[in-house]
Amino acid sequence: MSTATATEPQQGSAPTDVVRNWKTPVILAVLSVLSLLVFAIGAPDNSVTFRLSATNDALVLPDIVLSAVVTGWVTAILMLAAAVWSFQLVRSGRKVPGWLVTVFAVLFIVAFLTWVVGSARTPNVALYGLLAGSFTLAVPLIFGSLSGVLCERSGVVNIAIEGQLLFGAFSAAVAGSLSGNAFVGLAAAAIGGVLVSAVLAVFSIKYIVNQVIVGVVLNVLVSGLTGFLFSTVLSSDPAKWNSPPRLPIISIPVLSDIPVLGPILFEQSVVGYLMYIALAVIYVGLFHTKWGLRTRAVGEHPKAADTLGVKVNRMRFMNVLLAGVVAGFGGAFFTLVLVSSFGRDMTAGQGYIALAALIFGRWNPLGAFFAALLFGFATNLQYVLSALGSTVPNQFLAMLPYVVTIFAVAGLVGRARPPAASGVPYIKG
Amino acid sequence: MGWGLKLELKGITKRFGSLVANDHIDLVVQPGQVHSLLGENGAGKSTLMNVLYGLYEPTEGQILVDDKPVTFDGPGDAMAAGIGMVHQHFMLVPVFTVAENVALGNEATKAAGMLNLDDTRARIREISDQYGFQVDPDAVIEDLPVGVQQRVEIIKALVRDAEVLILDEPTAVLTPKETDELLGIMGQLKADGKAIVFISHKLREVKAVSDIITVIRRGKVVGDAPPSASTTELAEMMVGRAVSLTLNKAAAQPGEETFTVSDLTVLSATGQRVVDGLSFGIARGEIMAVAGVQGNGQTELTEAILGLQDHVSGSIRLEGHELVGKKVKDIIEAGVGFVPEDRSVEGLVGTFSVAENLILNRYDQPPFARGLAMKPAVINKNAEQYIAEFDVRTQSAEAAAGTLSGGNQQKVVMARELSRPLKLFIASQPTRGVDVGSIEFLHKRIVAERDVGTPVLIVSTELDEVLELADRIAVLYQGRLMGIVPAGTSRGELGLMMAGMNAEEAQAQQAQVEAEQTDVEGGEA
């Protein structure tokens, strides 16, 4: 006698059981024990000052002063409680809610900041400067990730973001120096990015070479080429070849006077404002226009698009070239905003971080934007901390952005779903 | 929108290298008719339709629309000429909504290229109402049942004002009920003056719906037949020789029940109960066939038996030994033979030779290996033997398995799995994509394995095959057993069970249906 004869027929989806996933509780537990040992027991006997506004701001907010010991213990206990609770949740077959993870992350950051600033020689940090710097450093990452979004959404893996940024930076420096005009440099950066893109597009779309390999090879090629030109041509006469003018910083009246956020968001170079425009255009374009619909279709199911008369490879080609423009602007940031000269391999792996931001942001322009901000924050924290005279060795601080990257991509993304046809060349027939 | 379109193919030839997929094919499709193309897998039906739809360029020949010659540079041209196609593997972007899929390539826009999906939604509702499709324009494709996805494909063609609709093996993925609904829709479209090209190898459906049947064999038109032609006549035209469509197997002699599954539950990675509390047993010398629409837990069931699934609870016992929790290799060595559903991915290593593929389950055991060394002479001799016994058409034992035709590949897999004494034989979709001649052969081998006293578990989404082979039939729906019924159960009853009704309800409803229309379906089957 079978068990099923008594079962009622049912419509709708099959019932679900919980597959217990211990990953989150284990990570939370490890991190909270770490916090207890380092941030609480190892807390410096110090009070830590976080400054929210500069003294010359229109509206001055009061400083926040915390005791490192109290903060360390309070946060560690709260984190341990969160970890224990998450264990119980999973044991009873439920999922750890997203907000709990977020609260945990905020607590961890507060504890870490208090501890690391407290152990520095000057336990006093300008929070507004930390945030503003994060935002600035995130600009090239955002351009890089947007370049990745354009490529991957249309089905081409773009490992060459690093090369696009570097060549953009190089082109901007040289063209800016020769013409004496930063805007010429900016245009040249876009062209430089497109050149790298064109090689990527030709090899990966037309000649169907493995896209990851083309990307990596392009990065090495650009690094070698710009390095060679830097040491031969640029170094021979830096005044002529390698001293581009900087792009001016433009403050938007009224908006830039908003406390904390104003200076962060509305005191940018042209490249910074271009970033807002690119973000908005790509976001709206991707999800609300004909171009975006076709782009996403060729990245998800190129054959379906082809059977509806969409030219798959032409669509991909255009997107990869456009991505070159976007990444080129990001490259210009290095030589026209950050410093005013090109240096060998000056992008220093930012292209790969941008790639991580793209994945962490789940192939969504807005997601990539916020992910890039996080990585920008990690990078800037490293600079600020070494300036404060942190007791943590510099080498470890330098690892910070990359540690955050690995945790973000491996631990927090979970099962992100990339465009289905990303990296798969389309061959007709 | 014009009323009808006459489509003519003249001397279409399509070669891929030395292979002639279509050889001077002539075909005239009239408006308001269902024109069936009948042929085995690999006969060249799909190639012909891809030529017609502009996906392939014909090597020779001409396409005429309303007696005017046309050339199609791509599907866009074919659509513009009024030809729409519903592909065997749906051409839908799974993460898009219905409206986005329908709009793609034919987008209505506002200023600055902004999408205007409202027009598309309205058109979808209009067509949906006209034909009773019940399709929500804002549903996401991957959440929809296959039958509804297929309607979206039809809507895609109709929105583009298609007058000729090509349906490529449209019933392969449908439940019997959905198939009936589709045949009804085809009738409606025909009444509206559309021409329909219906590609199939299922004789019963072709006979039920066609106005005219063109049979294709090895890339050539064999001839036309009226729908009144008998199934044996059609099968003979299709295969090129007399075939017996019914397997003459002796009644089963079930022995001791040596294979039992009790309360088996398999969870997917996301926690879905893909197999939900299954209990059944199979006796020695008995074939149990699992029927069900694809994706109702059959794959997970067979993989769980073989130890390939992760979240398994319950018990699977073979001759008293528990299999749950054992390693795949141990289960195979315990005497389980397994023919997976997708031979090219799981059944064979395409780049390995036929000889190597024939020993994949015993490569490390004598007589094929001694210590770390393999013995090529023995392996080749083994291959020669099985190639002869299973009539595998291959150039040599050294040929790469991937170069063989589907039927011959399946024979290699079957030969390997039956090459040792078994305590349980599992075959998933044993004849999918296999030519009719090979089907007959493979079925006989399965029955022979039963007759030596092995419990046999067959999984098939083809009801014909289930009815052909089974001694008992288990019907799965959403991972649950709808009941185990005897071999003689009617198609209608099985169809109801496959749609989620338990055995008793299905029997009751079927009896009622039969009482209402006693003389309609009686003669067929």
Side-chain angles (χ1 to χ4, degrees):
Chain A
M1 150 114 209
S2 79
T3 55
T5 39
T7 325
E8 287 294 305
Q10 268 179 28
Q11 295 300 318
S13 60
T16 55
D17 272 18
V18 176
V19 177
R20 289 196 175 82
N21 185 348
W22 294 101
K23 194 172 84 175
T24 317
V26 168
I27 293 177
L28 296 192
V30 169
L31 288 179
S32 49
V33 169
L34 192 79
S35 312
L36 185 72
L37 291 176
V38 181
F39 306 151
I41 296 173
D45 191 9
N46 229 339
S47 63
V48 181
T49 308
F50 294 100
R51 280 177 286 133
L52 293 180
S53 349
T55 43
N56 57 353
D57 276 4
L59 181 74
V60 178
L61 298 177
D63 296 348
I64 298 174
V65 183
L66 296 174
S67 153
V69 177
V70 173
T71 313
W73 279 102
V74 169
T75 50
I77 287 165
L78 286 174
M79 276 188 268
L80 277 174
V84 169
W85 191 33
S86 71
F87 265 104
Q88 275 175 346
L89 282 177
V90 172
R91 186 178 304 146
S92 66
R94 281 187 288 168
K95 282 209 173 90
V96 182
W99 66 263
L100 186 65
V101 178
T102 314
V103 167
F104 188 95
V106 170
L107 286 171
F108 188 84
I109 290 172
V110 169
F112 172 73
L113 274 182
T114 315
W115 172 76
V116 81
V117 175
S119 355
R121 276 193 295 279
T122 29
N124 182 322
V125 69
L127 207 55
Y128 64 92
L130 183 62
L131 293 178
S134 310
F135 197 86
T136 310
L137 287 171
V139 169
L141 293 178
I142 295 167
F143 275 113
S145 317
L146 290 177
S147 161
V149 166
L150 286 173
C151 289
E152 300 225 352
R153 279 288 185 166
S154 71
V156 178
V157 169
N158 185 3
I159 302 287
I161 300 173
E162 175 78 3
Q164 293 173 326
L165 289 176
L166 189 60
F167 205 61
F170 177 83
S171 314
V174 172
S177 309
L178 290 178
S179 66
N181 184 331
F183 291 94
V184 174
L186 192 58
I191 295 169
V194 169
L195 285 178
V196 178
S197 266
V199 181
L200 175 67
V202 168
F203 279 96
S204 57
I205 299 169
K206 186 154 198 287
Y207 295 109
I208 317 173
V209 181
N210 182 303
Q211 297 172 5
V212 174
I213 293 175
V214 179
V216 171
V217 166
L218 269 174
N219 290 340
V220 176
L221 175 75
V222 172
S223 165
L225 188 69
T226 54
F228 168 74
L229 292 172
F230 174 72
S231 56
T232 53
V233 183
L234 270 57
S235 304
S236 67
D237 186 357
K240 181 182 174 196
W241 293 98
N242 196 10
S243 47
R246 284 206 188 189
L247 284 166
I249 303 290
I250 303 164
S251 294
I252 296 182
V254 185
L255 288 178
S256 61
D257 290 335
I258 301 170
V260 188
L261 287 180
I264 298 175
L265 299 176
F266 302 109
E267 273 183 36
Q268 298 281 334
S269 66
V270 173
V271 176
Y273 294 116
L274 265 180
M275 183 270 290
Y276 293 134
I277 296 171
L279 180 64
V281 167
I282 291 172
Y283 181 80
V284 173
L286 212 46
F287 297 109
H288 298 285
T289 68
K290 175 172 156 178
W291 162 79
L293 188 72
R294 291 181 171 202
T295 298
R296 286 182 291 137
V298 300
E300 290 284 350
H301 196 332
K303 185 137 200 213
D306 192 16
T307 57
L308 295 170
V310 176
K311 303 266 185 266
V312 175
N313 285 337
R314 195 170 69 185
M315 208 65 216
R316 289 182 169 181
F317 221 103
M318 298 311 290
N319 272 289
V320 174
L321 292 188
L322 192 61
V325 175
V326 173
F329 286 143
F333 175 84
F334 290 96
T335 44
L336 299 179
V337 180
L338 202 59
V339 290
S340 62
S341 67
F342 180 80
R344 186 193 288 268
D345 286 333
M346 72 186 304
T347 49
Q350 300 272 295
Y352 298 108
I353 304 273
L355 196 62
L358 157 76
I359 296 168
F360 187 30
R362 300 181 179 223
W363 290 267
N364 181 312
L366 282 180
F369 169 77
F370 287 112
L373 285 184
L374 174 71
F375 295 140
F377 178 73
T379 310
N380 194 40
L381 190 61
Q382 166 210 337
Y383 296 150
V384 170
L385 291 179
S386 30
L388 291 178
S390 171
T391 49
V392 181
N394 242 327
Q395 287 81 351
F396 282 99
L397 289 178
M399 283 183 212
L400 199 59
Y402 308 102
V403 172
V404 171
T405 306
I406 288 176
F407 267 91
V409 172
L412 299 174
V413 174
R415 261 201 204 86
R417 196 157 77 165
S422 184
V424 185
Y426 183 64
I427 307 156
K428 241 180 140 77
Chain B
M1 251 199 262
W3 175 259
L5 201 66
K6 180 184 159 202
L7 184 72
E8 197 172 351
L9 299 180
K10 263 191 183 165
I12 295 285
T13 298
K14 176 69 190 173
R15 294 195 194 91
F16 297 99
S18 61
L19 180 87
V20 186
N22 291 154
D23 191 358
H24 292 93
I25 290 192
D26 296 315
L27 192 71
V28 184
V29 183
Q30 301 283 1
Q33 279 201 347
V34 175
H35 193 137
S36 289
L37 275 188
L38 183 66
E40 294 204 64
N41 289 295
K45 296 166 298 185
S46 292
T47 307
L48 184 66
M49 288 306 114
N50 283 331
V51 168
L52 179 54
Y53 193 57
L55 281 167
Y56 295 157
E57 211 174 306
T59 319
E60 281 167 42
Q62 228 180 6
I63 302 170
L64 297 106
V65 173
D66 279 342
D67 298 322
K68 285 188 288 286
V70 288
T71 48
F72 297 148
D73 219 7
D77 293 351
M79 279 183 299
I83 298 169
M85 182 156 176
V86 175
H87 297 262
Q88 188 175 0
H89 306 285
F90 298 152
M91 291 298 158
L92 296 168
V93 181
V95 296
F96 280 14
T97 64
V98 171
E100 285 176 320
N101 268 292
V102 172
L104 184 65
N106 190 24
E107 304 88 346
T109 51
K110 295 179 278 198
M114 300 289 278
L115 277 180
N116 183 1
L117 285 179
D118 288 341
D119 287 2
T120 315
R121 288 193 188 96
R123 284 286 281 145
I124 294 170
R125 288 207 187 88
E126 196 182 303
I127 293 172
S128 182
D129 290 347
Q130 188 183 346
Y131 293 103
F133 281 174
Q134 295 176 330
V135 171
D136 170 14
D138 292 311
V140 175
I141 293 294
E142 60 188 356
D143 300 338
L144 294 174
V146 197
V148 180
Q149 292 189 18
Q150 190 168 58
R151 292 173 190 180
V152 176
E153 283 281 41
I154 295 174
I155 292 175
K156 264 166 69 181
L158 294 179
V159 161
R160 290 165 170 80
D161 296 332
E163 292 298 326
V164 180
L165 261 174
I166 306 167
L167 305 176
D168 189 2
E169 300 274 1
T171 59
V173 288
L174 301 182
T175 61
K177 182 164 171 281
E178 285 173 322
T179 301
D180 288 344
E181 285 169 3
L182 176 70
L183 298 185
I185 290 168
M186 286 165 66
Q188 269 178 289
L189 292 166
K190 179 172 110 172
D192 278 356
K194 314 274 183 202
I196 296 171
V197 182
F198 178 56
I199 303 177
S200 184
H201 63 266
K202 295 189 186 173
L203 301 169
R204 209 161 20 84
E205 289 161 13
V206 165
K207 275 168 58 66
V209 78
S210 309
D211 294 299
I212 182 164
I213 304 168
T214 299
V215 183
I216 295 184
R217 186 171 75 232
R218 296 192 184 173
K220 286 184 184 157
V221 172
V222 184
D224 288 344
S228 55
S230 75
T231 40
T232 21
E233 279 172 329
L234 289 172
E236 222 175 297
M237 283 175 83
M238 191 160 92
V239 182
R241 62 179 166 83
V243 281
S244 69
L245 289 171
T246 42
L247 185 67
N248 294 313
K249 67 177 165 81
Q253 308 280 329
E256 191 194 343
E257 197 172 270
T258 53
F259 176 71
T260 53
V261 170
S262 41
D263 206 21
L264 180 73
T265 294
V266 180
L267 301 186
S268 71
T270 53
Q272 260 208 328
R273 282 174 177 248
V274 281
V275 172
D276 192 357
L278 286 197
S279 298
F280 63 89
I282 309 177
R284 286 169 174 278
E286 179 193 42
I287 297 178
M288 167 81 91
V290 175
V293 180
Q294 192 158 5
N296 275 281
Q298 301 96 318
T299 310
E300 290 83 0
L301 168 64
T302 55
E303 290 191 353
I305 297 171
L306 208 70
L308 286 165
Q309 286 280 333
D310 276 338
H311 310 284
V312 178
S313 62
S315 157
I316 302 170
R317 295 180 88 82
L318 181 60
E319 299 196 345
H321 301 288
E322 180 61 52
L323 297 187
V324 171
K326 286 252 181 63
K327 280 188 249 165
V328 179
K329 193 161 172 59
D330 294 339
I331 293 172
I332 290 173
E333 272 162 18
V336 178
F338 180 59
V339 176
E341 60 184 16
D342 188 343
R343 62 180 157 269
S344 58
V345 176
E346 292 166 327
L348 293 167
V349 183
T351 52
F352 280 18
S353 71
V354 171
E356 285 165 333
N357 272 292
L358 279 166
I359 56 149
L360 281 183
N361 53 350
R362 291 182 296 162
Y363 67 94
D364 58 344
Q365 296 161 9
F368 305 115
R370 189 175 50 201
L372 291 174
M374 312 251 301
K375 295 161 91 180
V378 183
I379 293 169
N380 276 328
K381 200 157 159 258
N382 173 69
E384 301 296 341
Q385 181 200 330
Y386 282 106
I387 287 171
E389 189 184 330
F390 278 77
D391 188 26
V392 179
R393 308 276 167 86
T394 173
Q395 287 180 336
S396 73
E398 274 82 47
T403 61
L404 269 54
S405 75
N408 285 308
Q409 289 188 5
Q410 193 70 354
K411 285 179 181 172
V412 172
V413 177
M414 197 78 90
R416 176 184 72 219
E417 295 303 322
L418 295 176
S419 63
R420 60 195 181 114
L422 294 178
K423 293 185 174 142
L424 172 68
F425 179 58
I426 306 171
S428 238
Q429 313 297 350
T431 59
R432 178 181 282 176
V434 167
D435 52 287
V436 176
S438 301
I439 290 177
E440 206 183 331
F441 179 83
L442 293 170
H443 281 175
K444 280 189 180 145
R445 292 302 306 214
I446 292 170
V447 173
E449 188 63 28
R450 174 198 79 168
D451 290 343
V452 301
T454 310
V456 177
L457 178 66
I458 300 293
V459 172
S460 179
T461 50
E462 300 265 353
L463 212 41
D464 291 324
E465 182 163 71
V466 168
L467 290 167
E468 196 78 26
L469 288 172
D471 297 317
R472 283 193 297 157
I473 303 169
V475 183
L476 278 189
Y477 173 72
Q478 293 189 349
R480 280 173 296 124
L481 197 58
M482 292 295 111
I484 296 178
V485 292
T489 309
S490 76
R491 271 169 196 286
E493 203 174 317
L494 287 171
L496 291 170
M497 289 171 73
M498 284 162 75
M501 220 175 254
N502 71 39
E504 287 132 35
E505 286 174 325
Q507 199 176 5
Q509 178 156 345
Q510 185 62 21
Q512 196 184 339
V513 170
E514 272 163 20
E516 281 166 17
Q517 42 170 20
T518 33
D519 49 358
V520 181
E521 282 189 348
E524 201 52 62

